[in-house]
Each structure stands twice: as C-alpha cells, then as structure tokens.
Amino acid sequence: MSTPAPTSRPLAARGLLLLAVLGVAANLRGVIASVPPLAGQIGADLGLGSGWVGALTALPVLCMGVFAPLAHRLAARLGSATPISAGVLAIAVGSALRAYGTHTWPLYAGTLLAGVGIAIAGTLLPGLVKHLFPPHRAGVVTGAYMLAMMAAAGLASAVSVPLADALDSWALALAVWALPALSGLLLWLPLSRRVHHTAPRVDADDEAAVTHRLPLRHATAVTLTAYLALQSWQFYSALAWLAPTYVDHDWTRARAGYLLSVFTATQMVAGFVAPALADRVRDRRLLLLPAVAFALAGELGVLLAPDAAPWVWSALLGLGQGAAFALGLVLLVSYAASPAASARLSAMGLGIGYAVAAFGPTVMGVVRDAAGGFRAVWLVLSVLLIVQVVVTTRLGPDLEPVR
C-alpha cells in the first residue's frame, strides 16, 4: 500500500519544480515586449529619437550580454537558486521604477535593473534544465519555458496600449510588469532550497569550471555564439520595430500592438514545438534551416509588400524566430558534455551573442532615421538573415562538444 508514495512524491516535486521554472521564464521578455507598442508615445513625450527609443529594447539585451558571465560566476560560488531569486527580484524592482518613466532617468535606470535580472535568471535556466530533468525531457522542458516566456511577451505586446489608455499613463503601463515578477518570485522561493541542494556544483578537479573559463577558442562554441548573435539581432530588432513600422503605415497603436502579439504568439507555438522535435532529430539543421526560411519570408513580406498580408508576415516572422531561438537554447545543452560545460557555453553564447545583438534595435533605429523610413531596416535584416543561413549550415551533429 505504501509503494506508490516514493514514486508520486518525486513526480509531484518535479511538477512543482517545472512550475517554478515557468514562473521565472514568464518574466524574461515581458519587460522588453511592453515597450514597442508605446514607442511613438514615449518618444514624443520625452523628445527622444528612434535610436534612443530603440535603446529601451536594446538595454536589457545588452545586460544579457554583459551580465551572463557574472551569472555563471555567481552560480559557481552560490549555486543557481540564489542568483535566480535575486534576478527575479531585480526584474520586479526595475519594472516598478519605470512608473516614474515620464522622467528619463527612472525609465532607463529601471530598464537597466530589470535587464540585469533578466540576464542572471535567463543565463542560469538552461544549465538547470540539463541537470534537474531527464535528458530525454530536456527539449520538452526547454519548449515549455520558451512557451511561458513568449506567452508573457505576447500578452505584454497586446495589453500595453490598452493599459496605458486605462491608466492614462504609459509609464504605469510599463510598471505593471512588476506584478508577474513578484508572482514568479513567490513560485520560485519555496523550491529554491531544493534547487540549491540538487543543482550542479563546481568540481574542484574541473580546471575550466574553477577558473570560470569561457570556451573562447572552441570551434563549436564560436559557431554557436555567431548563430545566437545573428538570431538575437534579428529577434530584438523585429520586436522593437515591427509595431512602429505599421504605425508609420497609419495603423493605430493598439492595432500595431496586436500585430506584435501575433509575432510573439506564433513564437510560442514554434518555441514549444521545435525543441520537442529536436529530441527526435539528430541533425538539428533539418529544423534550423526551415526556421530561418520562415523568418526570411516574413521579413521580405514586410519589406516588399507590407500591406498585402501583414498578419501573415508577422506570423511567419514569429514562427521562424521562435523556432530559431528555442533551438539555439537546445544546442546550448546538446553541445555541452556536462552541466558545468553547458553553463560555460551558455555564458559565452548568450553573453557575447546578446552583447552584439543589443546594438540591433538602436542601430536599426538609426538606420530608420537616416533613411527616412522603415524599408531600409527590413532590407538590412533580410541581408543579415542570409548570413545566418551560412552559419546555420555549420551546426551539424558531429561538432565536438564543449567539455
């Protein structure tokens, strides 16, 4: 009669752990996605050019690059649970600070603080997934937290303008995202001690782990980092400028926000399905290349015929970018020989990749101002996607794993 208990307790504990991971993941994009539908109003109220408005999307991405190695070092010293708790708290405080965003410095300071929190929590999740869940479930769990992350981003895009109208303040609409961060923290804290005791610790005999060395000279790590940099540049540039592109085509801010929600909603679908398929496919290029093709079709649609089928272009963009990003997270796990190696590979791939990608929204904003319109933005992004195809062809199944 007592035999089922030992089985049910671990299953229940693992379910609660998954819920806690999803609670953290749900706060890794909403802060960023809430800005683009309000970009025109923010720029007009504060007298900011497109480059400065783009920086509100770029700043958290830059933080993800700069602070990813720090997250790895903190995890090596403290375990993963405590830094993740601190990261989610930083997201909550930074979001709340944006309530005073009608003054420029709280807007950027809050965005910076939230970006630091996103960097710490987002960098540590892939390594935890590799350690805390069975290897044959890594893709499914990755897809699940990708789904949570993109669902929150889609919700943020859809409700930003209605919230700003209801609250009569775009600053308060941005600050609302402190509430889900606090909720995620409440989900995480009860299990953080369990995670702390079971998460991977630094092996004293592992010289690379002890010295926190990133695999900067490892060919696999370099190739994957290049892929992640190009993909993230594409994603955050599209996130920042898709809605403003259609506002420039005389769409209302609310309708453009819904278009951006389609972009993020289709990412949810692709972000969940692609990692699950990755568990069954040895050569991930069979999934990576179609993902890039979908994204390229969407970008060319916005470039060449923006008013012909905008909802289709947005959906194609989302499918491509969602799958490409989620598969990149899977590769951070599958190209690593151990949890410690996955942490180092994640620190390098996400750190350098995000540091490069952080310039995307701002550079594309400058391109838009210099060219006098958004066509140049989508032309540049389409060219960069072709470069991404070339890099993707090198991500074969026989690459040497990072150790």
Side-chain angles (χ1 to χ4, degrees):
M1 295 177 63
S2 60
T3 52
T7 302
S8 61
R9 279 198 297 267
L11 287 175
R14 187 164 289 164
L16 291 173
L17 182 60
L18 176 60
L19 183 62
V21 168
L22 298 182
V24 173
N27 289 283
L28 299 181
R29 293 296 180 271
V31 170
I32 304 172
S34 60
V35 172
L38 300 170
Q41 188 175 357
I42 294 171
D45 287 354
L46 299 181
L48 302 175
S50 297
W52 281 105
V53 174
L56 290 171
T57 301
L59 192 56
V61 186
L62 180 61
C63 288
M64 287 188 269
V66 172
F67 291 98
L70 173 63
H72 168 57
R73 289 178 173 84
L74 289 173
R77 294 175 183 271
L78 305 174
S80 297
T82 300
I84 288 176
S85 299
V88 179
L89 180 60
I91 295 170
V93 174
S95 298
L97 188 59
R98 300 206 295 185
Y100 304 96
T102 48
H103 302 285
T104 304
W105 78 263
L107 177 62
Y108 284 90
T111 301
L112 174 65
L113 181 58
V116 173
I118 291 169
I120 293 172
T123 298
L124 298 180
L125 279 182
L128 276 180
V129 167
K130 184 176 181 69
H131 181 80
L132 297 174
F133 295 92
H136 65 283
R137 295 296 182 192
V140 173
V141 175
T142 299
Y145 80 69
M146 177 75 178
L147 183 65
M149 191 165 59
M150 290 297 102
L155 180 64
S157 301
V159 305
S160 285
V161 173
L163 273 176
D165 292 341
L167 298 171
D168 196 28
S169 169
W170 56 260
L172 290 178
L174 295 180
V176 160
W177 302 103
L179 299 178
L182 290 174
S183 299
L185 186 61
L186 291 176
L187 283 172
W188 179 258
L189 285 177
L191 294 173
S192 62
R193 181 172 295 182
R194 169 184 166 82
V195 174
H196 177 76
H197 288 302
T198 59
R201 311 297 298 180
V202 175
D203 185 349
D205 296 327
D206 186 347
E207 179 184 357
V210 171
T211 57
H212 317 299
R213 290 178 183 171
L214 300 181
L216 296 172
R217 298 184 180 180
H218 198 290
T220 302
V222 171
T223 303
L224 183 53
T225 297
Y227 168 83
L228 290 169
L230 286 164
Q231 192 282 322
S232 295
W233 182 292
Q234 293 284 333
F235 171 75
Y236 289 105
S237 296
L239 181 67
W241 297 117
L242 180 62
T245 294
Y246 281 91
V247 171
D248 200 51
H249 282 252
D250 297 324
W251 286 39
T252 65
R253 291 181 300 121
R255 191 180 180 211
Y258 296 144
L259 185 68
L260 191 60
S261 293
V262 170
F263 173 58
T264 52
T266 49
Q267 286 175 54
M268 290 166 47
V269 176
F272 182 77
V273 172
L277 292 176
D279 287 339
R280 307 183 181 200
V281 176
R282 181 172 180 268
D283 189 345
R284 270 61 183 269
R285 289 175 296 186
L286 296 175
L287 301 173
L288 290 164
L289 289 171
V292 178
F294 277 128
L296 182 58
E299 289 185 357
L300 289 175
V302 177
L303 170 65
L304 301 175
D307 297 317
W311 304 99
V312 174
W313 309 147
S314 181
L316 288 171
L317 269 172
L319 288 172
Q321 295 294 350
F325 177 68
L327 290 168
L329 296 182
V330 171
L331 293 178
L332 289 175
V333 175
S334 61
Y335 280 144
S338 68
S342 179
R344 291 193 300 277
L345 182 58
S346 295
M348 176 176 168
L350 298 177
I352 297 176
Y354 282 144
V356 172
F359 294 97
T362 301
V363 170
M364 294 298 98
V366 172
V367 167
R368 185 262 174 228
D369 287 346
F374 286 102
R375 284 179 58 85
V377 170
W378 297 100
L379 176 61
V380 171
L381 290 178
S382 298
V383 171
L384 288 176
L385 259 182
I386 296 172
V387 178
Q388 188 177 333
V389 170
V390 176
V391 175
T392 300
T393 60
R394 301 178 62 86
L395 294 173
D398 298 322
L399 291 180
E400 180 186 2
V402 174
R403 302 187 183 279

